[in-house]
Structures are given as structure tokens and as C-alpha cells.
């Protein structure tokens, strides 16, 4: 099957766009993992089970317990804080909070 040059260009552009989105998605997940390790793992644990001295002392729930919460509820907790958890709305952009929620969902499995 022969493709004309406009079809080839359109296919090439589509492939490049898809590759770019995958690269951005991978970078976002990597960034969220880095921020999680810096700001969250001390209490929530590297695996999200809250099996750390600080997590146990403050009775931090594991992320497995967060499965019943919506993404917007988790984003709200990250933004505004809850209990002893500090608020991160001033230091994280809305897109970063969304990425963090997605990362947390991977730990809840």
C-alpha cells in the first residue's frame, strides 16, 4: 500500500505526538516519585503502607485504605493538609498534586 506524502506526514506527526506524551507522562511519574520520597515517605513509607516510626506514632493510614477516596478528595488532602499532615498547596502546583495522586494510586495496589 502506497501512502501519499500528506498521509506520511500526518502519521509521522501522530507518532511523534504520542511519543512526546509518553515521555511527559514518564517524567511526571518520576517527578512525583521524587517529591514523594522527599516529602511523604517519612510518614507514609516508601511503599505507602505507613509502616514507619512516624507513621505508626501518628496513626497514618496506609494508601490501601485510601482506595475509597476519590482523586479530588486525595488532592484536597494534599493541598490543604489533614490532621498532622502539612498542607502542600503553596509548594505544589495543581498539576503536581494531580501527578502525586496518580503516584499514590500506584502505591495503593
Amino acid at each position: 500500500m502506497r501512502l501519499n506524502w500528506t498521509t506520511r506526514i500526518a502519521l509521522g506527526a501522530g507518532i511523534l505526538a504520542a511519543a512526546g506524551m509518553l515521555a511527559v507522562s514518564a517524567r511526571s511519574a518520576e517527578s512525583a516519585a521524587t517529591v514523594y520520597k522527599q516529602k511523604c515517605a517519612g510518614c507514609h513509607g516508601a511503599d505507602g503502607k505507613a509502616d514507619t516510626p512516624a507513621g505508626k506514632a501518628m496513626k497514618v493510614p496506609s494508601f490501601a485504605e485510601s482506595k475509597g477516596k476519590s482523586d479530588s478528595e486525595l488532592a484536597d488532602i494534599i493541598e490543604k493538609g489533614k490532621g498532622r499532615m502539612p498542607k502542600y498547596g503553596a509548594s505544589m502546583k495543581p498539576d503536581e498534586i494531580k501527578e502525586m495522586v496518580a503516584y499514590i494510586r500506584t502505591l495503593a495496589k
Side-chain angles (χ1 to χ4, degrees), residues 14-87:
I15 290 169
L16 286 175
M21 286 189 289
L22 289 174
V24 168
S25 178
R27 247 191 331 268
S28 297
E30 210 173 281
S31 174
T34 300
V35 172
Y36 178 85
K37 288 175 188 168
Q38 294 169 346
K39 297 184 177 190
C40 312
C43 295
H44 291 284
D47 56 6
K49 294 182 180 174
D51 195 19
T52 65
K56 289 176 184 177
M58 292 188 285
K59 297 180 179 152
V60 174
S62 75
F63 289 134
E65 296 173 38
S66 70
K67 287 183 179 181
K69 294 191 183 317
S70 69
D71 287 356
S72 63
E73 287 175 300
L74 291 175
D76 196 52
I77 291 169
I78 294 168
E79 179 186 356
K80 298 174 184 170
K82 182 175 182 180
R84 292 185 182 182
M85 181 177 152
K87 55 185 174 181

Side-chain angles (χ1 to χ4, degrees), residues 81-96:
K82 182 175 182 180
R84 292 185 182 182
M85 181 177 152
K87 55 185 174 181
Y88 290 104
S91 63
M92 293 176 75
K93 297 175 184 171
D95 286 346
E96 292 171 322

